[in-house]
Amino acid sequence: MRRDQPPRPVAVGDVVAVYSEAVDAWTASQVIGHAFGAAFNMLDSRSCFIETVEREELFDALDHVADEAQTATGRDLTAARAALVEAVNSVRDR
């Protein structure tokens, strides 16, 4: 955009659509992260095999999934990735 030109108007519908997509991605990330963390807590409760190294590997796997999703969609999924990690951490060691 040039400084001597006014910004082009943005349709409210466009803003709402982008916001809605962001909320959907955040919500999906929260659900997936919570389920991921809860499933591993259930497995760990049986034999206590998840220690620091294993947790790091699990987060590496989540990071890989987020990278693949970002590549596949061509979109910045930084917020969704953060929501995913936050959700996993929310059920950690329960």
Side-chain angles (χ1 to χ4, degrees), residues 51-65:
E51 298 293 333
T52 301
V53 171
E54 289 79 14
R55 284 198 190 280
E56 288 175 5
E57 290 173 351
L58 294 172
F59 277 96
D60 286 347
L62 280 177
D63 204 40
H64 177 73
V65 169

Side-chain angles (χ1 to χ4, degrees), residues 30-44 50 55 58-59 62 84-85 87-94:
Q30 285 284 306
V31 170
I32 293 167
H34 189 274
F36 187 85
F40 279 99
N41 284 343
M42 185 175 62
L43 289 172
D44 193 48
I50 300 178
R55 284 198 190 280
L58 294 172
F59 277 96
L62 280 177
L84 183 65
V85 171
V88 171
N89 280 328
S90 75
V91 296
R92 190 174 181 169
D93 297 328
R94 284 192 181 173

